[in-house]
Protein backbone atom coordinates (compact mmCIF):
# COMPACT_ATOMS: atom_id res chain seq x y z
CA UNK A 1 0.00 0.00 0.00
CA UNK A 2 2.67 2.48 0.98
CA UNK A 3 4.85 1.51 -2.00
CA UNK A 4 2.18 2.59 -4.48
CA UNK A 5 1.86 5.99 -2.80
CA UNK A 6 5.56 6.65 -2.25
CA UNK A 7 5.51 9.43 -4.89
CA UNK A 8 2.89 11.36 -2.91
CA UNK A 9 4.86 10.90 0.31
CA UNK A 10 8.06 12.16 -1.35
CA UNK A 11 6.20 15.20 -2.68
CA UNK A 12 4.94 15.95 0.84
CA UNK A 13 8.47 15.77 2.29
CA UNK A 14 10.06 17.85 -0.49
CA UNK A 15 7.32 20.47 -0.29
CA UNK A 16 7.89 20.76 3.47
CA UNK A 17 11.62 21.28 2.93
CA UNK A 18 11.05 23.95 0.27
CA UNK A 19 8.40 25.69 2.37
CA UNK A 20 10.72 25.68 5.38
CA UNK A 21 13.52 27.30 3.37
CA UNK A 22 11.17 29.96 1.97
CA UNK A 23 9.61 30.58 5.39
CA UNK A 24 12.99 30.86 7.09
CA UNK A 25 14.49 33.13 4.42
CA UNK A 26 11.63 35.51 3.70
CA UNK A 27 9.04 35.50 6.46
CA UNK A 28 11.27 35.27 9.53
CA UNK A 29 13.74 37.84 8.24
CA UNK A 30 11.02 40.31 7.17
CA UNK A 31 9.15 40.30 10.50
CA UNK A 32 11.03 42.02 13.27
CA UNK A 33 9.70 40.58 16.52
CA UNK A 34 10.07 42.58 19.68
CA UNK A 35 10.30 39.35 21.66
CA UNK A 36 12.16 36.20 20.76
CA UNK A 37 9.94 33.70 18.93
CA UNK A 38 8.37 31.03 21.12
CA UNK A 39 7.86 28.49 18.33
CA UNK A 40 10.95 27.09 16.64
CA UNK A 41 10.10 26.82 12.94
CA UNK A 42 12.40 23.85 12.42
CA UNK A 43 10.52 21.91 15.08
CA UNK A 44 7.20 23.17 13.72
CA UNK A 45 7.87 21.94 10.18
CA UNK A 46 9.30 18.65 11.44
CA UNK A 47 6.32 18.03 13.74
CA UNK A 48 3.80 18.92 11.05
CA UNK A 49 5.53 16.78 8.43
CA UNK A 50 5.68 13.75 10.74
CA UNK A 51 2.05 14.22 11.79
CA UNK A 52 0.96 14.58 8.16
CA UNK A 53 2.85 11.49 7.09
CA UNK A 54 1.31 9.61 10.01
CA UNK A 55 -2.19 10.66 8.97
CA UNK A 56 -1.59 9.64 5.35
CA UNK A 57 -0.16 6.25 6.30
CA UNK A 58 -2.98 5.68 8.80
CA UNK A 59 -5.53 6.48 6.07
CA UNK A 60 -3.81 3.98 3.77
CA UNK A 61 -4.09 1.24 6.37
CA UNK A 62 -7.64 2.11 7.44
CA UNK A 63 -8.94 2.55 3.88
CA UNK A 64 -10.01 -1.05 3.39
CA UNK A 65 -11.66 -1.46 6.78
CA UNK A 66 -13.49 1.90 6.81
CA UNK A 67 -13.83 2.56 3.09
CA UNK A 68 -17.25 4.21 3.32
CA UNK A 69 -16.31 6.36 6.32
CA UNK A 70 -12.82 7.43 5.21
CA UNK A 71 -13.82 11.11 5.23
CA UNK A 72 -14.84 10.90 8.88
CA UNK A 73 -11.65 9.03 9.71
CA UNK A 74 -9.69 11.83 8.04
CA UNK A 75 -11.59 14.50 9.99
CA UNK A 76 -11.01 12.69 13.27
CA UNK A 77 -7.30 12.24 12.59
CA UNK A 78 -7.02 15.92 11.58
CA UNK A 79 -8.58 17.06 14.86
CA UNK A 80 -6.25 14.82 16.85
CA UNK A 81 -3.30 16.14 14.82
CA UNK A 82 -4.28 19.77 15.45
CA UNK A 83 -4.62 19.23 19.19
CA UNK A 84 -1.30 17.38 19.34
CA UNK A 85 0.53 20.06 17.36
CA UNK A 86 -0.93 22.88 19.44
CA UNK A 87 0.07 21.13 22.67
CA UNK A 88 3.57 20.37 21.41
CA UNK A 89 4.26 23.80 19.91
CA UNK A 90 2.17 26.03 22.25
CA UNK A 91 2.67 29.47 20.65
CA UNK A 92 1.72 31.53 23.71
CA UNK A 93 4.47 33.49 25.44
CA UNK A 94 4.87 34.13 29.18
CA UNK A 95 2.22 36.85 29.11
CA UNK A 96 -0.31 34.60 27.39
CA UNK A 97 -0.17 36.40 24.04
CA UNK A 98 0.60 34.98 20.62
CA UNK A 99 3.05 37.00 18.53
CA UNK A 100 2.57 37.28 14.78
CA UNK A 101 5.79 35.39 14.06
CA UNK A 102 4.68 32.51 16.32
CA UNK A 103 1.25 32.33 14.72
CA UNK A 104 2.87 32.14 11.30
CA UNK A 105 5.34 29.49 12.48
CA UNK A 106 2.41 27.39 13.71
CA UNK A 107 -0.22 27.84 11.00
CA UNK A 108 1.80 28.03 7.76
CA UNK A 109 3.20 24.49 8.15
CA UNK A 110 -0.14 23.21 9.46
CA UNK A 111 -2.08 24.72 6.55
CA UNK A 112 0.42 23.52 3.98
CA UNK A 113 0.32 19.96 5.32
CA UNK A 114 -3.46 20.00 5.62
CA UNK A 115 -3.79 20.93 1.94
CA UNK A 116 -1.32 18.19 1.00
CA UNK A 117 -3.27 15.65 3.08
CA UNK A 118 -6.50 16.65 1.37
CA UNK A 119 -4.95 16.24 -2.07
CA UNK A 120 -3.66 12.83 -0.98
CA UNK A 121 -7.12 11.77 0.25
CA UNK A 122 -8.84 13.00 -2.91
CA UNK A 123 -6.40 11.05 -5.09
CA UNK A 124 -6.87 7.99 -2.91
CA UNK A 125 -10.66 8.21 -3.13
CA UNK A 126 -10.59 8.74 -6.91
CA UNK A 127 -8.41 5.67 -7.33
CA UNK A 128 -10.69 3.55 -5.15
CA UNK A 129 -13.78 4.80 -7.02
CA UNK A 130 -12.11 3.97 -10.31
CA UNK A 131 -11.26 0.49 -9.05
CA UNK A 132 -14.89 -0.06 -8.00
CA UNK A 133 -16.11 0.99 -11.44
CA UNK A 134 -13.67 -1.37 -13.15
CA UNK A 135 -14.79 -4.28 -10.94
CA UNK A 136 -18.43 -3.63 -11.83
CA UNK A 137 -17.80 -3.69 -15.57
Amino acid sequence: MVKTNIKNIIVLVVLNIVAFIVHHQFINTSIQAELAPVVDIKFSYLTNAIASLSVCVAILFLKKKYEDQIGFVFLGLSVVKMILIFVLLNPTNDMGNVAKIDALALFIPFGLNLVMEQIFIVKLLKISDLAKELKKS
Side-chain angles (χ1 to χ4, degrees):
M1 282 183 281
V2 176
K3 288 181 183 179
T4 58
N5 291 293
I6 198 78
K7 180 182 172 187
N8 295 330
I9 292 171
I10 290 172
V11 167
L12 190 127
V13 171
V14 169
L15 190 63
N16 270 291
I17 292 170
V18 170
F20 167 73
I21 292 169
V22 170
H23 186 153
H24 185 64
Q25 290 295 322
F26 297 108
I27 296 176
N28 271 7
T29 56
S30 66
I31 298 175
Q32 298 298 325
E34 297 165 3
L35 302 170
V38 175
V39 177
D40 180 27
I41 64 166
K42 292 176 189 172
F43 184 63
S44 179
Y45 274 93
L46 182 66
T47 306
N48 274 292
I50 290 171
S52 247
L53 288 172
S54 300
V55 167
C56 291
V57 170
I59 292 292
L60 282 175
F61 286 115
L62 295 172
K63 184 182 88 161
K64 284 194 177 190
K65 188 173 182 181
Y66 301 107
E67 190 171 353
D68 294 335
Q69 294 89 15
I70 203 71
F72 292 112
V73 171
F74 172 70
L75 283 173
L77 289 173
S78 293
V79 169
V80 169
K81 182 182 104 170
M82 180 61 184
I83 292 169
L84 177 72
I85 287 173
F86 188 81
V87 168
L88 285 175
L89 298 176
N90 195 5
T92 57
N93 58 15
D94 295 337
M95 297 173 15
N97 299 328
V98 178
K100 185 177 184 180
I101 195 166
D102 293 322
L104 290 174
L106 181 71
F107 289 113
I108 288 176
F110 181 78
L112 172 79
N113 283 298
L114 186 63
V115 168
M116 290 302 296
E117 287 172 21
Q118 290 172 346
I119 292 170
F120 180 79
I121 297 299
V122 167
K123 284 183 178 181
L124 192 66
L125 291 176
K126 282 185 180 179
I127 290 171
S128 70
D129 287 347
L130 181 64
K132 282 181 186 177
E133 291 296 320
L134 290 174
K135 283 182 182 179
K136 286 181 182 177
S137 51

